[in-house]
Structure formats: C-alpha cells, structure tokens
Amino acid sequence: MHILFIMPYPHGRAPSQRFRFEQYLDFLTEVGHTYELAPFISEATWAILYKPGHTLAKAMGILGGFLRRVRLMFSVQSYDYVFIHREASPIGPPLFEWLIAKGLGKRIIYDFDDAIWITNTSEANKIAASFKWHHKVESICRWSYKVSCGNKYLRDYAQQFTQRAIINPTTIDTVNLHNQVRDQHAPGRLVIGWTGTHSTLKYLNQVVPVLAELETRYDFEFRIISNQPPTLPLLSLRFQPWNKSTEIRDLAGMHIGLMPLEDDLWAKGKCAFKALQYMALGIPAIVSPVGMNTEVVQQGINGYVCTTPAEWQQSLESLLKDPELRIRLGEAARDTVVKRYSVLANKQNFLKLFSDT
C-alpha cells in the first residue's frame, strides 16, 4: 500500500506524532508499504511557533501551510490510504478532509489522542483557539474509513459516528528509546520529576502545597522538564529545558514521576503518556485518577493513584523513604509498559489499520 501521512508538524518534532505513528514507520516499510509525510507547519515556522512575537512570520507560515495543502490535493489520488493525525489544517472547517474522503473517494484513517472536539483555551493559545473548528471532529469521524483513538474515552466518542473506531494506544519504544532502567540505589539527591509542555503546567498547582511541606522535611529536587520555565513557590524546584537529544537521560534522572490532572472532560481524553514514559524507565508514577491513568497505574503495584492532598503526601513520602519500594514498583511499571504499551506489543494492532479488516 502507498500511504500518505497528513500531520500538523514537521517529522520528529511533536511528541504526539512521534509516539502515535512516526515510531512505526520502519515497520510499514518492512511489510512492503511505502509512505510520504505531509506536515502543515514548515521547519521554519515550527522554530518560532511557540516563541513570543513573530506575528507576521507565523501568519505567513500558516498561509504557506494552506498552500501546501492545496498542492497536496493534486497528488492524493495516488495513495491507497490517507492517515490524518488530528486534522489536515489547524484552523477552519474540514475542507481538505471532505475533499479527500468525498471528492476523491480515498480511505481516511483518522487518528487523535486528545479530546480535540472540546474547546481547551489557555492564555497562550486563546487567539489561535478562536479560529479553531472543534466540531469538525464529528464530521471527520463520519467520513473516515477507520478511526484510531488513543484510549477508550476517545473511542467511545468516535463510535457515536462510526462503527470502525478502535483503540490504538500511545506507545513507548522500549527497545530503541526508553531502553534504560533507573538505578534507585545510585548515589545522589533524590529527584521527583514532571515532564510536559507549558500548557499542562497548570496541573501541578494541586501538588505544589504537598511538595512545599515535604521539602521542609526531606532533601529532594523537584525537576520540571518542559519547553518553558515554570513559576512555582518551591525551594526544591529545578527547571530542565526539554531537549530531544537528552530527553531519555533527563527523564532517567528521576526517582519518582508525577502526573496530576484535573478531573474535567478534556483531561479524560489524556492517554497517560507521562506515566508511560516514567514507567518505561523503571520509575514509579504517582497519578490522578483521570483519563487512562487508572488503566495504566495499579495502586501499590506499579505506582500510586491519588485524589486528595493527603494521598499525594503519603505516596510521595513512602517512595522518598524506601528505595526498595521504588525498585519493586519501578520493575512492575517497566513490565507493564513492555507487555501492554510498547511499540512491539502494539505493532500488529497498528499495522492492521492499513488492512481491509
């Protein structure tokens, strides 16, 4: 089969693309498929996309993306499948998706790993959000040959509009990427960590008071790996700029990984990605009982699920004091990812997207 991947960002840049489909591309080649990648955003626009200012350059970059999409429509006919990750264009109605499915009669595989039909506006994206067309997700689901969903909540939404929606979890490459295991006995200061983009830093607010109390009694570093520095009232805070080339090494420096979430409709669509990253490296995760977190993390077996500040404090304190507990939960966490949420475990499920069954 000849497959076209329509995606928002350049290859290798965005986590959602890297862990949803880019790490499977070699497997497609192995079984005889060929593919082409068609990002909306160029490398030049990506370099300034999340930087302040550059308004004209960003606008020209978006315009350039639309022009590339128009040109792409003239070659779509040559592909057997068109895999669309999230959307063909970041703003406006689903014109390209309609043309591909209805005008050209091509089989769309529609992939998403967030509740992207829900408006999720922050201060950083409020201008762009006003041009979004969130309800287009429903239409694209109806037009698609198959819908690839990151978890059960997303699949249940898609099944309102199509019977060909499947769960295709966000997975971890435990062989070539997340292939280290944290040595919990290694000398050095204990590190509690969190990783994510600036838009999800808000979820940390609920654990800040707990960390502030614990840092008066324990010596630890609270490490945040992100694309923007946070402003949190913690003496233990250390900001680590996210860097693709050092991502695994930086994560592996943690002893405990956190994934707090707010219990809202948007967060229910989360695919436990942070927790999976920690767990793949043998790091026990402490998570909120929201979205896919409760499917991935088993209480007291491979991590902890916490609702109240008291539960967060008790779980953190237990892991801070007991390296053997961190090892036991970390080993179980790694085993969970390898068996259920690794690229190899999900390989056939992904390849089946490009079949008639």
Side-chain angles (χ1 to χ4, degrees):
M1 297 294 177
H2 194 35
I3 304 162
L4 174 64
F5 286 87
I6 291 180
M7 55 213 219
Y9 307 112
H11 179 230
R13 300 298 186 179
S16 64
Q17 295 178 181
R18 291 167 54 210
F19 295 98
R20 292 296 297 162
F21 65 90
E22 289 179 2
Q23 58 190 356
Y24 291 96
L25 295 176
D26 288 344
F27 293 132
L28 291 174
T29 304
E30 285 178 7
V31 297
H33 299 320
T34 57
Y35 66 86
E36 300 290 338
L37 305 178
F40 183 90
I41 297 293
S42 68
E43 288 281 359
T45 303
W46 170 261
I48 61 171
L49 191 61
Y50 295 107
K51 294 181 179 180
H54 305 281
T55 304
L56 180 58
K58 290 176 184 177
M60 294 303 295
I62 296 297
L63 178 59
F66 275 106
L67 292 176
R68 282 188 293 276
R69 285 288 183 258
V70 171
R71 290 197 299 267
L72 184 64
M73 294 304 104
F74 291 97
S75 62
V76 166
Q77 197 62 50
S78 65
Y79 296 93
D80 298 292
Y81 290 99
V82 179
F83 185 103
I84 301 177
H85 176 59
R86 298 178 73 97
E87 56 199 356
S89 63
I91 57 177
L95 297 177
F96 297 113
E97 291 90 345
W98 180 89
L99 182 58
I100 293 167
K102 298 300 183 181
L104 299 173
K106 307 308 294 184
R107 291 180 290 186
I108 288 177
I109 297 169
Y110 185 36
D111 175 73
F112 54 92
D113 59 343
D114 273 319
I116 56 176
W117 65 90
I118 297 172
T119 303
N120 183 43
T121 305
S122 67
E123 190 64 29
N125 72 354
K126 65 180 181 180
I127 296 177
S130 64
F131 294 97
K132 288 279 189 180
W133 201 281
H134 293 93
H135 56 280
K136 67 183 175 183
V137 179
E138 173 184 337
S139 298
I140 304 171
C141 285
R142 293 184 190 278
W143 302 333
S144 295
Y145 176 63
K146 293 180 182 179
V147 182
S148 163
C149 308
N151 63 25
K152 183 179 182 297
Y153 175 73
L154 304 178
R155 193 273 313 272
D156 290 348
Y157 170 82
Q159 281 187 331
Q160 298 176 86
F161 317 112
T162 176
Q163 294 304 306
R164 298 180 70 88
I166 66 156
I167 298 175
N168 175 42
T170 301
T171 52
I172 305 293
D173 186 345
T174 54
V175 175
N176 301 302
L177 190 59
H178 291 73
N179 55 5
Q180 306 174 29
V181 176
R182 193 1 162 161
D183 181 359
Q184 295 285 355
H185 281 305
R189 194 181 188 193
L190 286 172
V191 177
I192 301 170
W194 178 91
T195 185
T197 61
H198 64 279
S199 63
T200 54
L201 280 167
K202 62 182 181 180
Y203 295 131
L204 288 173
N205 292 335
Q206 62 185 286
V207 297
V208 166
V210 175
L211 292 168
E213 195 282 326
L214 287 173
E215 70 182 10
T216 66
R217 296 185 289 116
Y218 296 92
D219 180 31
F220 63 84
E221 170 191 308
F222 180 49
R223 179 179 301 172
I224 289 182
I225 302 173
S226 186
N227 61 323
Q228 290 184 15
T231 54
L232 299 175
L234 292 170
L235 297 175
S236 58
L237 178 65
R238 181 193 162 212
F239 171 61
Q240 176 74 50
W242 182 86
N243 186 317
K244 182 182 176 182
S245 64
T246 63
E247 177 183 19
I248 304 305
R249 184 180 68 203
D250 294 340
L251 286 170
M254 300 177 182
H255 295 84
I256 304 164
L258 305 186
M259 189 177 176
L261 287 173
E262 296 171 1
D263 191 3
D264 56 29
L265 293 177
W266 174 261
K268 288 181 188 297
K270 292 293 182 182
C271 296
F273 179 62
K274 291 180 180 60
L276 290 172
Q277 282 196 293
Y278 307 142
M279 294 166 67
L281 298 171
I283 301 167
I286 307 180
V287 305
S288 297
V290 180
M292 196 172 160
N293 284 355
T294 53
E295 297 177 35
V296 173
V297 178
Q298 299 166 283
Q299 180 72 5
I301 297 175
N302 59 14
Y304 291 111
V305 180
C306 300
T307 302
T308 66
E311 290 172 350
W312 280 96
Q313 180 167 328
Q314 181 180 7
S315 299
L316 277 165
E317 197 160 3
S318 297
L319 290 170
L320 285 169
K321 292 191 297 186
D322 191 344
E324 298 304 323
L325 178 63
R326 297 197 300 269
I327 290 171
R328 176 166 60 82
L329 267 59
E331 289 176 347
R334 168 79 180 180
D335 188 61
T336 297
V337 174
V338 170
K339 289 181 177 178
R340 297 173 55 195
Y341 301 104
S342 68
V343 169
L344 290 180
N346 192 59
K347 174 182 173 181
Q348 293 305 320
N349 185 46
F350 181 84
L351 291 176
K352 196 175 180 181
L353 290 172
F354 307 96
S355 70
D356 294 334
T357 57

